[in-house]
Amino acid sequence: MKEELTIIYTSDIHGHAMPIHYGTNKKEQIGLAKYATIVKEARIHKENLLLIDNGDLIQGTPMMTNYVKNYTDKENPMIGIMNQLNIDAGVLGNHEFNFGKTILSNAVQQANYPILSANIINKETGEPQYGPPYIIKTFADNIKAAIVGVTTHYVPNWESAEHIDGLEFADAFETLNKWVQHIRDNHLADIIIASYHGGFEADLDTGEPTEILTGENQGYQICQEIPGIDVLLTGHQHRELTGLINDVLVIQPGNNGKLYGEVSLELLKVNERWMVLNKQAQLKTFEDVVSDTDTISYLAPLEQATQEWLDKPIGFIKGDMTISDPLQARIAKHPFIQFIQDVQMEESGAAISVTSLLNNSSTGFKSTVTMRDIVSNYMYPNTLVVLQLTGADIKAALEQTAQYFVLDETGEIIVNPAYVHPKPQHYNYDMWEGIEYTLHISKPIGERVGKLSFQGEPLDMNKTYQAVFNNYRASGGGDYTMFKGKKVIKDIQKDAVALIQTYFDKYHTIEARIVDNFRVVK
C-alpha cells in the first residue's frame, strides 16, 4: 500500500504579501496573495498536505513598517494570512525580533497555529518561550509526521539586547539532536521533518566549509550527524537550492516571496508502519499564478493606507543624491552616504559615524523625497548605538571591512565573491565618517589600512573614541567581533526611517554634499 505526503512551505517572506515591489510600485510575481492561491488549489488536489512557514515572516516591507508604526491595534497581517490558510506550524526567524518583544508576542498570540520554538528558551522557566519544540500530525491511513522547529542561535549577535531580554538561544544543532532522539524514542513517527531557520555552512556536495564556522548555519552538520531526519527545511541565507545530504532531503526557497518549496514523499506501508520510498523537492515560482481575491481584500485597507503613507513628500534634495553605480558609491564618498552619516551624527552627538549602502538596489534620493524613497533605501528597522572604542578597535574594524574588495585578473577593484555568494552581504561593508583613512586593496588581508587619522592627528591605538553604528553592527554582526562587549555610551531607540523623517522635518531641504574623508585604492 502506497500513499503520498506533500509539504508546502515558505521561508524568508519578509513581509511580502502583495504582488508588488514597493520601491517602484510595479507588479511582481511574488508574495503571499499568490501563495494563497497555490495553497487553496493544493487543498483540493492533495489529501495529505502539510503547510509550514520557516520564519522571517513579519519584517521587511513598507506595509509591515507602516503596520508597526500605526496599526498595531489590528491583527498582524502576515499572521492573519497564515491563519486564513490554516497552516500547520511556523518557526521564528531572526528578523521576527526586530520590532521588539511586544510585536513578536502579539504575533505569536494571534497565530492559530503552533510556533515551533525548541531552542528559544525562557531563562527563568528553562522551557521553550514561544511554542512547543515539535508537533505530531496524523494523516490518512494513520501516517504520522513529526515536525520539529529550531532557529539559528546566532540571533544575540545581531539583535538589540532589550528585544531578547530574558531569552536564551540554545545551540540549534544540539537542540535538534536532542528532540529528534526524543521523538524517535517516544513516538511512532513515520517521518521526521526538521524546520530550521538557518542554512548551510558547507558545500552540499563536497562538505567543504563555505563560511567561517560560527554556528550561524549548521545545516550540513545536522544532515551528517543527526540520525533519523527525513527532510530538512531551511532558510535564512536566501539561497535557492534542493539536494540530498546523507539521504536527508534539503531545500531552501530564496527570499521575499519569490518562490515556495514543495516536497513530495512517496510512502510504503510495511508491517503497519509507513516508510519513505521516494522523496523529491522542488522550488516553484508564482509566474502566471493569479492572486487570491480573499487575501487581497483582507489586505486592502492596510495596503491603501501604506500607499498613501509612501507617496507623502517629506523633503527635498538640492543637487544630486542618486546612486547609479553601487560599487563606486562604496569606493568613493557618495552624497547619499554622507546624508546618512549626517543624520546619525546629529542624532547621536558622536564624532565618528559608521554606515553601509545596504544593497545594490538602493537608488538614493531624487529631488523630491517621499517615504517610499526612504524605506526603499533603508529597509531594516535598525536603531542606533554609540560605542566607546579604542583606536585599535577602529583599525581592526577597517581591516575587516577592507575584505569586501579584491582585485580581478586585470587589477581592477571588484567585490569579493564571498560577499556575493552564497548570500549577498553588501551591508557588511562599512564606510566611516569623522576619521580619515585609506584602504589599499592590493595588500594582504589584515594589512590594508594605510593613512588613519582623527581631526588631523594619527589615530591613537590606545585612546578611546565614541562612534555611532546601527544596532546590528554594534552587536558585532557581520563578523565585527571587535565590537562585542564594548561599553555602550548611548542607545537610541528610534528606527532609521523615523530618524531620517525627523531630519527632513527639521531641515526640509538638504544639500547634496560630501566630506572626502576616505580612499579605496589598488
Side-chain angles (χ1 to χ4, degrees):
M1 182 177 179
K2 292 182 181 180
E3 284 285 357
E4 185 176 278
L5 172 65
T6 302
I7 306 165
I8 296 180
Y9 95 111
T10 49
S11 191
D12 299 86
I13 293 293
H14 286 290
H16 287 80
M18 294 293 292
I20 60 171
H21 184 290
Y22 282 99
T24 61
N25 231 19
K26 293 181 179 179
K27 291 183 179 180
E28 288 201 353
Q29 305 298 323
I30 62 172
L32 290 187
K34 290 181 176 289
Y35 181 66
T37 299
I38 297 295
V39 170
K40 290 181 178 181
E41 278 290 312
R43 289 205 182 280
I44 295 172
H45 300 292
K46 298 182 184 297
E47 182 178 7
N48 301 317
L49 180 63
L50 183 61
L51 300 172
I52 299 171
D53 178 72
N54 192 52
D56 278 4
L57 175 67
I58 67 173
Q59 175 278 333
T61 57
M63 185 186 76
M64 289 308 301
T65 300
N66 189 31
Y67 166 78
V68 168
K69 288 182 176 296
N70 301 305
Y71 297 99
T72 53
D73 58 322
K74 297 179 171 58
E75 180 181 57
N76 188 306
M78 305 304 287
I79 299 298
I81 294 170
M82 292 303 186
N83 284 342
Q84 291 172 13
L85 297 180
N86 195 28
I87 73 170
D88 295 286
V91 172
L92 298 182
N94 52 295
H95 284 286
E96 257 68 71
F97 296 87
N98 288 170
F99 293 129
K101 297 174 81 171
T102 300
I103 298 297
L104 175 53
S105 295
N106 288 345
V108 171
Q109 291 168 11
Q110 291 165 10
N112 294 337
Y113 51 90
I115 302 296
L116 305 181
S117 183
N119 70 317
I120 305 175
I121 308 299
N122 183 306
K123 287 182 178 179
E124 289 188 6
T125 66
E127 298 295 325
Q129 171 71 15
Y130 294 106
Y134 67 93
I135 57 172
I136 306 290
K137 297 287 292 186
T138 303
F139 297 93
D141 294 310
N142 205 35
I143 299 169
K144 291 185 177 181
I147 308 99
V148 56
V150 290
T151 302
T152 175
H153 57 261
Y154 222 58
V155 174
N157 290 280
W158 310 308
E159 194 52 69
S160 298
E162 66 274 10
H163 291 179
I164 56 174
D165 183 46
L167 298 176
E168 175 190 351
F169 290 79
D171 185 280
F173 170 82
E174 293 177 2
T175 303
L176 192 58
N177 192 23
K178 179 183 77 172
W179 286 109
V180 169
Q181 186 63 50
H182 174 85
I183 291 167
R184 295 176 69 197
D185 291 344
N186 294 277
H187 299 279
L188 294 176
D190 302 298
I191 306 152
I192 297 180
I193 300 153
S195 188
Y196 170 44
H197 190 84
F200 298 94
E201 74 283 25
D203 182 274
L204 271 62
D205 296 319
T206 67
E208 290 296 315
T210 53
E211 60 183 48
I212 298 173
L213 299 180
T214 61
E216 178 181 351
N217 300 298
Q218 299 170 295
Y220 191 85
Q221 182 187 12
I222 287 169
C223 294
Q224 290 288 1
E225 299 181 22
I226 301 180
I229 297 174
D230 295 290
V231 179
L232 179 65
L233 310 176
T234 69
H236 182 56
Q237 292 173 310
H238 299 179
R239 298 172 68 182
E240 299 174 8
L241 60 85
T242 62
L244 273 173
I245 303 173
N246 193 28
D247 201 39
V248 180
L249 186 67
V250 300
I251 182 170
Q252 191 171 140
N255 65 305
N256 294 351
K258 300 171 188 173
L259 302 168
Y260 68 96
E262 182 171 312
V263 172
S264 299
L265 302 177
E266 185 182 2
L267 307 173
L268 176 67
K269 196 169 189 179
V270 179
N271 297 327
E272 302 304 313
R273 293 291 304 277
W274 291 95
M275 299 180 63
V276 178
L277 192 62
N278 186 35
K279 47 189 174 184
Q280 294 183 334
Q282 292 179 284
L283 299 176
K284 295 192 172 183
T285 73
F286 296 111
E287 201 71 37
D288 300 324
V289 175
V290 178
S291 295
D292 175 61
T293 54
D294 292 336
T295 304
I296 295 293
S297 296
Y298 168 74
L299 294 169
L302 179 60
E303 175 64 14
Q304 181 178 345
T306 298
Q307 291 294 342
E308 292 171 358
W309 177 65
L310 287 172
D311 287 333
K312 178 184 176 183
I314 64 161
F316 303 92
I317 301 298
K318 183 179 179 181
D320 186 6
M321 209 178 279
T322 59
I323 298 171
S324 58
D325 186 337
L327 177 62
Q328 287 304 313
R330 295 183 177 101
I331 287 176
K333 191 64 159 295
H334 190 278
F336 176 76
I337 297 300
Q338 184 70 56
F339 169 79
I340 298 297
Q341 304 282 31
D342 291 344
V343 171
Q344 293 188 171
M345 293 173 85
E346 175 154 321
E347 181 66 29
S348 67
I352 299 173
S353 177
V354 183
T355 194
S356 306
L357 182 61
L358 297 177
N359 63 43
N360 285 350
S361 64
S362 294
T363 57
F365 291 154
K366 299 185 287 292
S367 57
T368 299
V369 181
T370 65
M371 287 300 298
R372 190 183 305 278
D373 297 317
I374 294 175
V375 298
S376 296
N377 283 281
Y378 212 114
M379 65 292 302
Y380 300 117
N382 290 330
T383 57
L384 296 182
V385 178
V386 179
L387 296 181
Q388 181 171 288
L389 305 173
T390 65
D393 295 328
I394 293 172
K395 186 174 186 294
L398 288 169
E399 291 289 3
Q400 173 66 29
T401 210
Q403 296 183 45
Y404 179 79
F405 297 113
V406 293
L407 300 181
D408 67 10
E409 61 275 5
T410 67
E412 294 301 312
I413 297 173
I414 62 170
V415 177
N416 186 336
Y419 285 78
V420 180
H421 305 289
K423 175 184 177 179
Q425 299 180 59
H426 301 294
Y427 50 80
N428 281 330
Y429 167 71
D430 286 338
M431 289 162 279
W432 289 63
E433 185 73 20
I435 60 173
E436 300 77 43
Y437 63 96
T438 302
L439 303 180
H440 299 271
I441 308 308
S442 62
K443 292 188 176 182
I445 286 175
E447 302 175 16
R448 290 179 166 183
V449 177
K451 173 189 174 185
L452 180 54
S453 61
F454 173 71
Q455 296 180 349
E457 298 292 331
L459 200 70
D460 188 329
M461 294 296 105
N462 298 311
K463 186 178 177 180
T464 58
Y465 304 85
Q466 293 184 6
V468 60
F469 304 79
N470 67 47
N471 61 290
Y472 168 77
R473 184 70 77 241
S475 66
D479 295 325
Y480 286 80
T481 56
M482 67 292 298
F483 299 148
K484 290 184 179 180
K486 297 302 177 181
K487 183 178 179 181
V488 175
I489 303 299
K490 190 182 294 185
D491 195 348
I492 301 166
Q493 288 302 305
K494 290 167 66 177
D495 68 54
V497 171
L499 291 172
I500 295 170
Q501 183 178 16
T502 299
Y503 196 83
F504 273 112
D505 287 343
K506 181 177 181 179
Y507 295 106
H508 200 57
T509 298
I510 310 298
E511 185 168 355
R513 70 182 191 100
I514 63 167
V515 175
D516 192 12
N517 68 303
F518 72 85
R519 293 275 190 275
V520 178
V521 299
K522 296 179 185 178

